[in-house]
Amino acid sequence: MRVLLVEDDQMLAQTMLDMLREDHTVDWLDDGQQALGAVMEDRFDLVILDLTLPRLDGLDIVRRVRQQGNQTPIIILTARSDLDEKLHGLDAGADDYLTKPFAMAELKARIRAVTRRGGFGPSVPELQVGRLKLNTESSRLIVGDSAVSLPRSEFQILQYLMRRPDQVATRRQLEEQLYGWEAGAESNALEVHVHHLRRRVGKQTIRTVRGVGYLLDSDMAARESTE
């Protein structure tokens, strides 16, 4: 899952990045105007948003994003603890509101809850396409009668494809799931990860769309056996 963290306290942001990157691909901004542009122009699965930001307040970001019809899940994370502030945030369109100081375990639990509520995942943390079942919390993949815990990179790719079966995912979209805005690994790293996944799910289940990217073929996922 790709997350945008918007936080202008650099020490807190670095701590959060270290913790969140254990499970997700996370990009970070410390400026409200830049954050608004990123949410509107890029594709994120979740935004974690401070309210007191340079150039543009977080509440204004939420309002403008929702006015444009963008339904990306947003968790407000702020020191503003008054009830009225919380109500303003939720009424503006935020999906959740957490006040500082906070426990990282609680934030992670709220991330799971918000992404499930927002349609990013089912109420049970499992994706299924044909014979493939993927637990989104444990990274455990079940193919027929076999099961394996996926490395993080393979999990990120397969999760993205399974949420959009039979839809083409471009190279850029998949690389952003792996690396965000940071420079990626070697140029053939994505192909290597896809090669490993094909050995797990079947060669024809993940199809190459030449010059564009990859897609998960739901028909093949329903009937193909791995070799």
Side-chain angles (χ1 to χ4, degrees), residues 4 9-10 14 51 63 71 77 82 138 144-145 167 176-177 182 197 202 209 215-216:
L4 175 63
D9 182 327
Q10 295 194 7
Q14 191 57 59
L51 291 184
R63 292 190 186 102
Q71 296 303 312
L77 183 61
D82 291 346
S138 68
D145 297 327
Q167 298 180 36
E176 285 177 346
Q177 290 296 309
E182 294 184 357
L197 279 171
V209 180
L215 68 77
L216 183 77

Side-chain angles (χ1 to χ4, degrees), residues 10 14 16 43 51 59 76 80 83 93 99-101 103 106 114 117 120 136 143 160 187 214 226:
Q10 295 194 7
Q14 191 57 59
M16 294 178 65
R43 182 168 185 166
L51 291 184
L59 278 179
I76 290 175
R80 301 182 194 176
L83 177 60
T99 57
K100 304 172 184 176
E106 181 179 4
V114 164
R117 281 203 308 270
F120 182 73
T136 59
V143 184
Y160 191 87
S187 59
Y214 301 92
T226 58

Side-chain angles (χ1 to χ4, degrees), residues 80-97:
R80 301 182 194 176
S81 58
D82 291 346
L83 177 60
D84 285 346
E85 292 281 2
K86 182 174 183 178
L87 294 177
H88 288 324
L90 295 174
D91 287 342
D95 296 270
D96 203 350
Y97 193 108

Side-chain angles (χ1 to χ4, degrees), residues 54-191:
R55 297 210 293 165
L56 187 63
D57 188 81
L59 278 179
D60 288 329
I61 295 173
V62 176
R63 292 190 186 102
R64 296 187 191 187
V65 166
R66 296 304 188 231
Q67 286 170 0
Q68 294 299 314
N70 187 317
Q71 296 303 312
T72 302
I74 298 174
I75 297 177
I76 290 175
L77 183 61
T78 179
R80 301 182 194 176
S81 58
D82 291 346
L83 177 60
D84 285 346
E85 292 281 2
K86 182 174 183 178
L87 294 177
H88 288 324
L90 295 174
D91 287 342
D95 296 270
D96 203 350
Y97 193 108
L98 182 61
T99 57
K100 304 172 184 176
F102 63 96
M104 184 59 67
E106 181 179 4
L107 176 59
K108 289 185 174 183
R110 288 177 182 245
I111 289 172
R112 293 192 295 270
V114 164
T115 51
R116 290 197 296 264
R117 281 203 308 270
F120 182 73
S123 57
V124 176
E126 183 177 86
L127 299 172
Q128 181 166 3
V129 179
R131 299 172 67 248
L132 311 182
K133 296 180 182 179
L134 181 65
N135 187 295
T136 59
E137 294 182 358
S138 68
S139 303
R140 187 172 178 81
L141 170 67
I142 299 175
V143 184
D145 297 327
S146 63
V148 64
S149 293
L150 294 179
R152 182 179 179 278
S153 294
E154 292 180 33
F155 169 74
Q156 294 281 64
I157 294 169
L158 186 59
Q159 176 182 223
Y160 191 87
L161 294 174
M162 287 183 68
R163 292 190 186 281
R164 303 160 181 82
D166 302 313
Q167 298 180 36
V168 178
T170 67
R171 282 188 60 92
R172 178 180 176 184
Q173 288 170 333
L174 293 175
E175 287 175 345
E176 285 177 346
Q177 290 296 309
L178 295 176
Y179 313 118
W181 292 326
E182 294 184 357
E186 299 177 1
S187 59
N188 68 337
L190 179 59
E191 285 82 357

